[in-house]
Amino acid sequence: MVESPCVASCRLNADKFCVGCFRHITEIVDWNKRTDSENYAILQDVAKRKHQAQQSGAAEGETSPITQAEWQAAKQQVRNR
């Protein structure tokens, strides 16, 4: 099983990316139900996002904690794929 990149700092920016682990909310939900290859692909995207953020020096901007409604909507979006 691929270890989650979660750093227990779950705050979403306006684009619904966590500023702690650089995953989109739809990549966070059901992490443990994804295949290893799916999670490795997500980790590759995470590495790119993190590198881009570090290179650009982009500020986080406004963030908010993940709400229950956002979580449920993301789970539904993942199920509908």
Side-chain angles (χ1 to χ4, degrees):
M1 178 175 276
V2 179
E3 188 174 332
S4 168
C6 181
V7 294
S9 179
C10 299
R11 300 218 28 109
L12 300 179
N13 65 16
D15 296 320
K16 302 301 179 199
F17 283 94
C18 177
V19 298
C21 69
F22 296 94
R23 289 180 294 170
H24 189 270
I25 188 171
T26 58
E27 296 169 333
I28 296 170
V29 300
D30 296 337
W31 176 266
N32 292 328
K33 294 180 182 177
R34 295 178 190 274
T35 66
D36 283 351
S37 59
E38 289 172 319
N39 286 339
Y40 281 124
I42 291 170
L43 289 178
Q44 288 178 332
D45 291 339
V46 163
K48 291 175 192 173
R49 291 179 199 134
K50 187 174 184 177
H51 179 73
Q52 288 172 343
Q54 290 170 337
Q55 292 299 312
S56 69
E60 295 174 2
E62 283 220 23
T63 63
S64 62
I66 299 173
T67 66
Q68 184 67 24
E70 288 173 318
W71 186 263
Q72 293 302 322
K75 284 182 78 94
Q76 190 62 41
Q77 186 177 351
V78 168
R79 285 187 191 126
N80 291 335
R81 288 187 185 168

